[in-house]
Amino acid sequence: MTPKTGAMPRSTASTPAQIQRWLKRNLFNGWFNSLLTLVCLAVITWIAIHLLRWATTQAQWAVVTTNLPLFFVGRYPVQQIWRVWAALAIALAMVGVWWQAGTWKQKNTQTAAGSPSSPLPSPSPQALFFILLLIAFCCILWLLAGGLGLPRVGTNLWGGLLLTLVVAITSIVLAFPFGVLLALGRQSSLPILQGFCTVYIELIRGLPLIGILFMAQVMLPLVLPGQPNIDRVVRAIAGLVLFNAAYLAENVRGGLQSIPRGQTEAAKALGLNPFLTLRLVVLPQALRIAIPGIVGQFISLFKDTSLLALFALLELTGIGRSILAQPQFLGRYAEVYLFVGLLYWVFCFTMSRISRRLERGSRG
Amino acid sequence: MNRTNLWRNVRFWRFAGQAIAIVLVISLIAFLGFNLNRNLARLGIRFGFGFLQSQAGFAIGETLIPYQSSDSYGRALLVGLLNSLLVIATGIALATIVGVTAGIARLSSNWLVRKMALVYVELLRNTPLLLQLFFWYFAAFLSLPKTDAPLRWLGFSFSNGGITVPGGLSFSPEFSALVLGLSIYTGTFIAEIVRGGIQSVPKGQWEAAKSLGLKPAQAMRMVIFPQALRAIIPPLGNQYLNLAKNSSLAIAVGFSDLYAVASTTFNQTGRAVEIMVLISVTYLSISLLISLLLNLYNRRVQLVER
């Protein structure tokens, strides 16, 4: 052994002596740990063997492969599929812009930190980005739903991952302003306003989502004037917005509370009125702190959209259930639910990683 | 003078802001209530809880108190409530065991144990609970062998008729799938909370326990865990509340909890508002009760400073 290998990091260590040492330290230090290791190994091999045997011999993956379009876009008309691709392209472009803006902003703040007399924020690229985002959002909805020159595709034809994503993203976008307003209301010094906001937030947070969705499906047509014939998807989104606004409010409140009082006082001393203080000083900082929490809320919202399956919507879980009702695939529960679970997992896991990175970034 | 300054008067704005808030909220409620009233009148429904006395006419698979389909809706809802409470209590107990075990395993000195706990947490935390319930019920329990030839293991027997534990107690597949799903899902969150709590205890405490001659397991039980508990209890309470709320997904596996019974009642009677009120009040009370108990317990474990 040359001395050089001794200095190598553990992950690339490959000499038998080092492997042995690593094994001894991490798996076999003491009789208890050795026993634990052996039991774990037995369990893992047992699971792996059974899973592999099931996946290769008993499982019939045809239920997944023949229904792939259903899983991804539901019963969206095949001739119009290009619109989904176009929407996806716009969404990816926006993610790219956001990524780019993030790195650009980092550079910008570094230079700003160099010059201490940073002036009042100019009409920022952030505002531009928000406007762009809004336009992209409307474009995507127009592409998917049609109208204005494109043939209409009713929401009853939307399904699968497409519907899950549309519902989740629309709900979080709509819930965000409500959440911020509720958080500001709860933090406000006006007792009545604060009371209303607190009651709303605590009421919603004490109820199960399924109850709120039930309310949205059943009560919404009853409490609105005129024709009580509201689209099922719209009702579902309304329920999710009402529900998530309360949770987002708590995330934003956490951010607001972490802003030191000196910031508001300094803004006041500069002669900013309360609205400008909020808009230019408090909110930008509070929201930045709240971002990881908001992403976390989006992850749980993404998972919560599965509840729409109980209200006859064919989002990812719902379409899985309807595929299981096809006579030739009766009883193929494990295959369908594992595949659907994998799709959810990929999205949620990616987002949770991003959230963790944001958290580390904001702290560092 | 006074008039020109009105717009710059903070006290005026405070008053006006609250007045606007009251007017907005009251007019919103009035608007919704007016529409509701008109729509209900058009549908010929009159608000009232009298329907609770009429005959339910549907059967409930599992009941803690005697119930038959000729009993009233009120009794059916009570059966549902008791079922819910049973699921919540069992689920909380199981989830705590699963979560604490996994949380400690995440910090084990054994690499394999650590990684297995990590895989469990990351895999099940990132998929929807509802899907997991479907999986446990349809793919796991209903695919087990028939009741007359169950799988036997350590005195437990598993079949598509449910689980029988050693003392002769048996659970239906619906109840088992629901409680298992709830506690395994909630366990992932509890594991992360427990891990964070244990990591928040300063390293010096380990070293001090070691120098007193305590073995690692003893140090964990007598020194570290009691201190970690202070950081663990408040977020743990949130998870208990989540579990209680998530127990309403029982309808997905066909277990008759409060929400499932209420939903059936709504389908039969069309009483949207009354059912909504009943569900809300009950779940809010359950949530309140749990947070009350947790606050009491929290007061006991928190450090009392001199």
Side-chain angles (χ1 to χ4, degrees):
Chain A
M1 302 303 112
T2 55
K4 209 178 166 189
T5 50
M8 274 167 76
R10 204 195 60 201
S11 56
T12 53
S14 53
T15 61
Q18 274 168 331
I19 291 176
Q20 212 172 21
R21 211 180 316 141
W22 184 86
L23 280 177
K24 188 149 170 47
R25 199 174 55 221
N26 288 292
L27 295 178
F28 297 102
N29 54 342
W31 65 269
F32 179 71
N33 254 336
S34 308
L35 192 72
L36 217 56
T37 305
L38 290 180
V39 170
C40 284
L41 272 179
V43 170
I44 290 174
T45 26
W46 188 82
I47 292 178
I49 287 175
H50 278 256
L51 205 64
L52 271 179
R53 197 194 292 157
W54 174 81
T56 49
T57 59
Q58 286 169 322
Q60 292 173 14
W61 296 103
V63 61
V64 172
T65 49
T66 52
N67 288 312
L68 271 183
L70 276 181
F71 278 116
F72 285 104
V73 295
R75 293 186 293 129
Y76 207 87
V78 183
Q79 313 89 287
Q80 305 291 335
I81 283 290
W82 65 269
R83 284 156 59 173
V84 179
W85 286 111
L88 184 69
I90 295 179
L92 286 180
M94 286 318 292
V95 171
V97 170
W98 174 67
W99 208 252
Q100 208 55 27
T103 52
W104 182 82
K105 199 163 61 190
Q106 268 171 12
K107 272 183 220 151
N108 206 33
T109 44
Q110 273 162 14
T111 51
S115 56
S117 60
S118 169
L120 279 174
S122 52
S124 60
Q126 261 169 322
L128 276 178
F129 178 67
F130 264 111
I131 294 170
L132 197 64
L133 205 64
L134 212 66
I135 295 173
F137 188 65
C138 295
C139 273
I140 288 177
L141 280 187
W142 169 66
L143 269 173
L144 292 177
L148 300 176
L150 280 174
R152 282 195 176 281
V153 178
T155 52
N156 57 327
L157 296 179
W158 302 14
L161 187 60
L162 171 71
L163 185 60
T164 295
L165 283 171
V166 166
V167 166
I169 293 173
T170 316
S171 306
I172 201 85
V173 168
L174 293 180
F176 182 71
F178 284 116
V180 172
L181 285 181
L182 279 170
L184 289 175
R186 193 169 182 177
Q187 284 294 95
S188 102
S189 55
L190 310 180
I192 293 176
L193 192 63
Q194 191 195 17
F196 282 137
C197 293
T198 311
V199 166
Y200 177 82
I201 292 173
E202 293 306 329
L203 209 64
I204 295 282
R205 274 160 41 95
L207 290 176
L209 174 58
I210 195 172
I212 310 268
L213 288 174
F214 172 84
M215 186 170 75
Q217 292 291 340
V218 175
M219 297 280 289
L220 203 59
L222 289 178
V223 295
L224 290 182
Q227 80 278 34
N229 215 353
I230 310 168
D231 191 290
R232 267 184 177 281
V233 175
V234 174
R235 277 186 270 169
I237 290 175
L240 287 171
V241 168
L242 288 179
F243 182 77
N244 280 284
Y247 285 82
L248 279 180
E250 287 300 274
N251 283 324
V252 174
R253 186 166 74 109
L256 286 175
Q257 278 177 340
S258 65
I259 305 298
R261 182 189 278 272
Q263 294 287 326
T264 341
E265 288 168 354
K268 220 178 204 171
L270 282 176
L272 296 182
N273 65 28
F275 174 73
L276 280 181
T277 308
L278 264 184
R279 162 80 188 71
L280 298 175
V281 179
V282 177
L283 267 187
Q285 300 185 64
L287 289 182
R288 190 163 311 152
I289 294 170
I291 282 177
I294 294 173
V295 177
Q297 189 53 39
F298 182 67
I299 295 175
S300 59
L301 166 63
F302 188 80
K303 288 188 289 178
D304 283 342
T305 56
S306 62
L307 262 68
L308 302 185
L310 299 176
F311 296 92
L313 283 177
L314 295 181
E315 45 64 66
L316 205 42
T317 309
I319 205 92
R321 296 224 297 168
S322 77
I323 285 170
L324 283 168
Q326 294 173 356
Q328 70 271 38
F329 297 124
L330 282 181
R332 295 280 134 219
Y333 296 111
E335 293 88 339
V336 169
Y337 289 143
L338 283 178
F339 178 68
V340 169
L342 178 74
L343 288 180
Y344 277 112
W345 186 83
V346 167
F347 276 89
C348 293
F349 185 72
T350 319
M351 284 189 287
S352 75
R353 284 292 131 134
I354 291 175
S355 151
R356 209 169 294 177
R357 245 190 63 177
L358 287 173
E359 213 164 339
R360 222 170 282 156
S362 73
R363 227 185 271 148
Chain B
M1 187 71 195
N2 235 346
R3 272 187 184 275
T4 49
N5 278 347
L6 197 56
W7 302 106
R8 297 196 158 273
N9 189 337
V10 175
R11 273 166 65 198
F12 165 76
W13 277 111
R14 289 177 62 88
F15 177 76
Q18 308 213 57
I20 292 172
I22 293 180
V23 168
L24 275 180
V25 170
I26 287 183
S27 48
L28 182 72
I29 291 175
F31 171 74
L32 298 179
F34 172 76
N35 289 323
L36 181 67
N37 223 347
R38 211 191 40 192
N39 282 327
L40 285 183
R42 208 189 48 205
L43 293 170
I45 302 175
R46 287 190 66 187
F47 182 82
F49 286 94
F51 75 97
L52 287 178
Q53 258 96 51
S54 32
Q55 187 178 324
F58 56 86
I60 295 181
E62 285 165 76
T63 59
L64 289 174
I65 52 172
Y67 169 85
Q68 48 198 223
S69 54
S70 58
D71 282 333
S72 66
Y73 283 119
R75 183 140 181 116
L77 287 165
L78 182 66
V79 168
L81 173 62
L82 290 175
N83 278 346
S84 280
L85 292 177
L86 179 68
V87 168
I88 293 170
T90 332
I92 284 181
L94 258 181
T96 312
I97 298 173
V98 172
V100 171
T101 315
I104 292 177
R106 284 276 270 129
L107 296 170
S108 161
S109 62
N110 189 314
W111 182 85
L112 204 59
V113 173
R114 224 157 51 214
K115 289 297 163 196
M116 272 175 81
L118 177 73
V119 168
Y120 155 67
V121 169
E122 290 293 354
L123 210 60
L124 294 179
R125 199 174 54 157
N126 286 318
T127 43
L129 171 61
L130 183 67
L131 192 71
Q132 291 181 29
L133 288 178
F134 282 143
F135 184 86
W136 289 120
Y137 184 61
F138 292 108
F141 273 98
L142 293 192
S143 310
L144 283 172
K146 296 234 165 55
T147 337
D148 40 358
L151 277 179
R152 286 184 200 285
W153 190 62
L154 291 178
F156 289 83
S157 72
F158 301 88
S159 70
N160 63 5
I163 301 181
T164 312
V165 295
L169 223 61
S170 68
F171 302 102
S172 70
E174 291 83 18
F175 179 82
S176 318
L178 179 62
V179 168
L180 261 182
L182 275 174
S183 37
I184 289 179
Y185 179 76
T186 314
T188 62
F189 293 93
I190 295 180
E192 288 300 278
I193 291 168
V194 169
R195 182 179 66 102
I198 292 176
Q199 278 177 333
S200 76
V201 177
K203 214 173 172 185
Q205 297 288 327
W206 279 106
E207 292 161 357
K210 205 173 180 184
S211 67
L212 282 177
L214 296 180
K215 294 191 183 101
Q218 278 178 318
M220 178 60 110
R221 192 163 48 90
M222 296 158 71
V223 179
I224 307 299
F225 205 70
Q227 299 187 62
L229 221 48
R230 291 188 198 120
I232 290 174
I233 294 294
L236 186 67
N238 272 334
Q239 290 309 321
Y240 288 170
L241 287 173
N242 282 343
L243 189 142
K245 286 183 277 175
N246 284 336
S247 73
S248 57
L249 294 181
I251 195 170
V253 295
F255 182 77
S256 296
D257 78 326
L258 175 69
Y259 178 79
V261 174
S263 174
T264 314
T265 309
F266 164 71
N267 286 337
Q268 293 192 0
T269 61
R271 300 275 178 175
V273 188
E274 292 89 340
I275 298 288
M276 200 52 236
V277 171
L278 275 176
I279 295 180
S280 312
V281 170
T282 323
Y283 277 104
L284 283 175
S285 318
I286 294 176
S287 297
L288 219 61
L289 186 72
I290 294 179
S291 33
L292 202 71
L293 290 176
L294 278 160
N295 279 342
L296 285 179
Y297 183 66
N298 194 24
R299 208 171 297 162
R300 265 188 43 196
V301 282
Q302 285 310 323
L303 194 63
V304 183
E305 301 213 15
R306 277 163 296 175

